């Protein structure tokens, strides 16, 4: 996969903006703040999943796994080259090993999608393993690409 240029990312954001209220439009300059907020939403979602596993609440597990899958699918668009400046913990390895970074995002997307499917199929016995696999993808990416 090729590295997205700022121009490509900006034009995809402009397209998105057409369907969104202006206030939620992430301007290119805000890309670091936007991605950090999305990651914090991931933590909220993963905590909700862990609590829901204790209660066998499969619907909550599925909907929160969807949130993580959706962000993981978009995540790399929020790391344009040059966005390693300012208040960010993004490591230079993201851009020097773009293939590895996109693969790590794909791993998270796949683990989240799988957990959502298991929950929708009523596979209660698989929830802990599915959760562990998903949490492992967060940790593994952070170890290589986040300070
Ligand atoms: C493909 C790589 C990757 C995956 C997968 C990933 N993260 Fe991250 N995460 C990052 C990077 C890079 C940053 C640093 C972003 C920055 O500071 O600009 C980050 C930052 C964060 C932060 C800090 C946000 C802040 O306020 O500064 C949290 C919390 C977080 N991630 C949680 C998670 C959780 C939970 C998951 C799994 C569900 C996850 N991440 C999956 C790469 C990843």
């Amino acid at each position: 996969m090729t590295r997205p240029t700022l121009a490509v990312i900006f034009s995809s954001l402009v397209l998105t903006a057409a369907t969104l209220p202006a206030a939620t439009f992430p301007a290119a300059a805000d890309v670091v703040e936007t991605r950090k907020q999305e990651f914090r939403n991931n933590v909220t979602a993963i905590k909700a999943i862990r609590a829901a596993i204790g209660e066998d609440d499969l619907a909550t597990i599925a909907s929160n796994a969807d949130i993580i899958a959706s962000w993981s699918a978009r995540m790399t668009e929020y790391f344009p080259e040059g966005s390693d400046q300012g208040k960010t913990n993004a490591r230079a390895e993201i851009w020097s090993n773009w293939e590895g970074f996109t693969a790590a995002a794909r791993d998270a997307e796949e683990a989240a999608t799988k957990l959502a499917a298991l929950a929708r199929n009523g596979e209660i016995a698989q929830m802990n393993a599915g959760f562990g696999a998903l949490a492992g993808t967060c940790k593994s990416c952070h170890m290589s690409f986040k300070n």
Side-chain angles (χ1 to χ4, degrees):
M1 188 173 165
T2 54
R3 198 181 289 219
T5 64
L6 256 179
V8 168
I9 287 152
F10 190 70
S11 66
S12 81
L13 291 176
V14 170
L15 287 177
T16 310
T19 60
L20 289 174
T24 65
F25 170 58
D30 293 337
V31 75
V32 172
E33 264 321 304
T34 304
R35 74 191 179 208
K36 291 200 301 195
Q37 182 57 55
E38 293 275 7
F39 282 119
R40 290 195 289 271
N41 294 345
N42 258 4
V43 176
T44 307
I46 209 156
K47 283 184 178 163
I49 292 172
R50 194 169 51 197
I53 288 175
E55 295 162 4
D56 291 343
D57 179 355
L58 295 173
T60 298
I61 295 168
S63 62
N64 282 283
D66 285 347
I67 291 170
I68 295 174
S70 156
W71 164 239
S72 301
R74 292 178 288 122
M75 182 191 297
T76 57
E77 297 166 27
Y78 289 77
F79 287 88
E81 265 188 281
S83 66
D84 56 346
Q85 306 296 314
K87 286 189 185 172
T88 173
N89 287 313
R91 278 199 207 159
E93 281 80 354
I94 290 173
W95 296 278
S96 64
N97 181 13
W98 185 252
E99 292 290 327
F101 183 65
T102 54
R106 220 162 27 241
D107 286 348
E109 182 189 355
E110 282 171 13
T113 303
K114 185 173 177 193
L115 180 60
L118 288 169
R120 292 202 165 91
N121 290 334
E123 305 271 6
I124 289 182
Q126 299 297 316
M127 290 302 106
N128 280 328
F131 176 83
L134 174 58
T137 67
C138 314
K139 194 175 170 192
S140 146
C141 185
H142 289 172
M143 278 170 45
S144 302
F145 298 107
K146 175 178 172 289
N147 285 325

